[in-house]
Amino acid sequence: MRMYDIIKKKRDGGELTPKEIHFFVDGYVKGEIPDYQASAFLMAVYYKGMTINETRELTFAVRDSGVTLDFSGIDGIRVDKHSTGGVGDKTSLVVAPIVASLGVKVAKMSGRGLGHTGGTIDKLESIPGFKTDLSEEEFISIVNDLGVAIVGQSHELAPADKKLYALRDVTATVDCLPLIVSSIMGKKLAADDDCIVLDVKTGSGAFAKTVEESVRLAEVMVDIGKSAGKKMLALITDMDRPLGANIGNSLEVIEAIETLKGNGPADFTEVCVILATNMLYLAGKGSMTECEDMVKKAIADGIALETLAKMVKAQHGDDSVIYNPDLFEKAKFSREVKAEKSGYIVRVDTEGYGIASLMLGAGRNTKEEEIDYSAGITLVKKTGDKVEKGEVIAVMYTNDEARFDGAVARFNNSTTIKDEKPQERPLVFARVE
Ligand code: URA
């Protein structure tokens, strides 16, 4: 078999056989297929797409490219939640402790920021001392004791995705359905959960920009997960505006803590309640209404917040910041962003807001770059809000003052203010079972 023939077949719109797909993935992981051939293959997939059979086979090849985990040492039902990536999306920090506090195990493996989107692992590492690289024994023992632990992905898990993602990132082939599916589901299937709830984002800050694309993405992921024996469910949630009021690592952890205290922004709280409800429902804890009541009670009683604090302590973090978020280190500099005209904020380019936050230091431009954990943006006004010219619409934070001008320009270019009030968008567009 030759990689040249596989690229040509896909370029001409042919359907690849399982053998051809495994030949590509295995050869690429071993370093036998060079980046230039892999890039040509990815671009051919980008333009010609893949059938469901090819997408499933690519997902299985990614899963089988490294170790698969064994969570049989964890007692009880294990449920995971995975977001396709967004801006201000700190839902895992809220839903994981809620669900764990209600008796369902969450052995969560999360990622770092990708492109303009933030990552749970970077957010957690803004908590002083917090360790995201536990041994398998310690991870399983914390999940058994507290119901939840969140760690980064080990290097041995789905190495094909690691290599392919880095290549997609620099060859403009990220936003491609079969490649997103195989990347996310290849990793999810290599872990050992019983149930998976997918939070498929849609809109200007998501990799799938339209609701139709997002529903299709959800359907394919649910289908593939089920064919691998998992209980699956997906929600299509809005990412045409950032979720909540904060973008940036410690700012988002603080917002998650406030939400677990019952003081979170309405949009973010609603999405967290819906996701946690669906996780419990999928794990068989009751009807949707019963599960929703349990979730709201776990927030009101403070047991979900307590579970987060215990998890932070068990993962070597300073749990005093959970009870007193003022202890988080503050950025040295802040700058207000003012409305350039009067009217309603009718539209924001959420990806642009994510990039503005990265420009302040909240993300990396290169793999090696250090994150400024206190950098980011607090949104004072959001889509649909009325503003007066000169009114503060956001506050930016950074430890490097020189970063402000570029970030403010990017932010303003991503904000559209007009006279007419925009139509409200739903927070959840669809549920795919
Ligand atoms: N998240 C992933 O892990 N992979 C993708 O391709 C997109 C989002």
Side-chain angles (χ1 to χ4, degrees):
M1 206 174 279
R2 294 192 322 148
M3 192 57 207
Y4 176 92
D5 299 321
I6 295 174
I7 297 169
K8 187 162 177 291
K9 186 171 176 187
K10 185 40 70 186
R11 184 201 70 186
D12 296 340
E15 181 172 8
L16 301 175
T17 64
K19 270 203 177 127
E20 287 166 333
I21 290 173
H22 283 269
F23 176 86
F24 161 64
V25 172
D26 298 346
Y28 185 54
V29 171
K30 284 188 198 139
E32 291 163 6
I33 293 168
D35 276 349
Y36 51 82
Q37 281 190 312
S39 306
F41 176 78
L42 293 175
M43 195 53 86
V45 171
Y46 187 92
Y47 278 112
K48 296 294 174 176
M50 277 186 152
T51 63
I52 180 76
N53 287 339
E54 288 176 297
T55 308
R56 185 181 300 111
E57 218 45 62
L58 183 60
T59 304
F60 291 167
V62 170
R63 174 196 64 191
D64 298 338
S65 66
V67 296
T68 45
L69 301 177
D70 176 7
F71 288 167
S72 57
I74 297 174
D75 312 318
I77 300 270
R78 303 173 298 271
V79 61
D80 195 4
K81 181 236 81 168
H82 190 88
S83 154
T84 55
V87 177
D89 178 12
K90 69 288 286 175
T91 49
S92 292
L93 303 177
V94 174
V95 301
I98 292 177
V99 169
S101 73
L102 293 164
V104 173
K105 298 289 181 353
V106 187
K108 186 144 184 50
M109 244 156 288
S110 291
R112 296 191 182 277
L114 289 176
H116 67 281
T117 68
T120 303
I121 291 303
D122 294 330
K123 292 171 202 183
L124 283 169
E125 285 179 353
S126 72
I127 299 172
F130 194 93
K131 269 186 76 181
T132 54
D133 58 343
L134 306 177
S135 69
E136 202 174 321
E137 295 72 43
E138 197 178 3
F139 177 57
I140 288 181
S141 145
I142 296 174
V143 177
N144 273 329
D145 286 350
L146 306 176
V148 58
I150 306 180
V151 292
Q153 243 138 242
S154 91
H155 296 298
E156 294 113 56
L157 192 99
D161 179 59
K162 216 174 170 44
K163 275 192 93 172
L164 284 171
Y165 198 93
L167 195 60
R168 286 166 62 207
D169 211 14
V170 291
T171 54
T173 49
V174 171
D175 50 341
C176 167
L177 187 145
L179 301 180
I180 296 176
V181 170
S182 54
S183 163
I184 292 178
M185 292 308 293
K187 287 179 291 217
K188 291 288 118 184
L189 298 184
D192 191 12
D193 291 295
D194 305 300
C195 317
I196 304 171
V197 171
L198 298 168
D199 179 10
V200 179
K201 302 288 184 194
T202 194
S204 60
F207 291 121
K209 307 282 183 210
T210 68
V211 176
E212 293 69 32
E213 274 175 78
S214 305
V215 169
R216 182 77 197 119
L217 181 60
E219 284 171 347
V220 176
M221 289 199 283
V222 165
D223 187 72
I224 290 177
K226 281 186 175 173
S227 73
K230 308 283 179 192
K231 283 177 88 177
M232 301 288 305
L233 193 152
L235 294 161
I236 314 299
T237 68
D238 192 32
M239 193 34 72
D240 214 39
R241 53 198 144 159
L243 196 51
N246 286 282
I247 310 167
N249 298 288
S250 63
L251 289 171
E252 292 192 41
V253 177
I254 295 169
E255 190 164 82
I257 294 167
E258 289 306 321
T259 303
L260 284 171
K261 286 184 188 162
N263 307 326
D267 62 341
F268 178 55
T269 304
E270 190 179 329
V271 170
C272 288
V273 169
I274 292 170
L275 285 169
T277 299
N278 277 280
M279 288 167 81
L280 292 172
Y281 172 78
L282 201 60
K285 290 296 273 186
S287 68
M288 285 291 283
T289 319
E290 286 163 346
C291 291
E292 186 177 339
D293 289 346
M294 286 192 261
V295 168
K296 288 184 172 160
K297 193 162 179 304
I299 297 175
D301 288 351
I303 56 160
L305 181 71
E306 205 178 298
T307 304
L308 176 69
K310 284 184 182 160
M311 182 193 90
V312 166
K313 191 165 182 196
Q315 294 195 227
H316 312 276
D318 177 0
D319 59 338
S320 62
V321 300
I322 305 298
Y323 293 110
N324 183 5
D326 277 346
L327 295 174
F328 272 102
E329 210 168 293
K330 303 273 178 309
K332 278 201 214 107
F333 306 103
S334 66
R335 184 180 287 183
E336 292 177 341
V337 184
K338 297 189 175 152
E340 291 182 317
K341 57 194 262 200
S342 298
Y344 289 94
I345 300 184
V346 289
R347 203 186 158 268
V348 302
D349 171 11
T350 310
E351 182 172 341
Y353 277 19
I355 293 170
S357 176
L358 296 191
M359 291 169 82
L360 292 166
R364 301 175 186 83
N365 290 304
T366 61
K367 277 199 294 194
E368 293 72 28
E369 209 171 19
E370 297 248 328
I371 282 190
D372 176 352
Y373 289 113
S374 52
I377 307 172
T378 297
L379 304 170
V380 181
K381 299 284 181 186
K382 289 185 64 174
T383 311
D385 286 343
K386 194 167 193 306
V387 296
E388 295 301 327
K389 184 174 178 191
E391 191 179 352
V392 176
I393 55 172
V395 183
M396 295 189 167
Y397 301 95
T398 181
N399 282 304
D400 177 0
E401 219 175 351
R403 290 174 177 261
F404 277 132
D405 288 348
V408 171
R410 186 74 195 214
F411 186 92
N412 283 335
N413 282 338
S414 306
T415 311
T416 310
I417 300 176
K418 286 196 174 160
D419 291 338
E420 334 63 68
K421 191 171 165 54
Q423 277 200 330
E424 269 197 33
R425 264 170 78 92
L427 274 173
V428 179
F429 288 88
R431 184 166 182 266
V432 176
E433 269 196 85

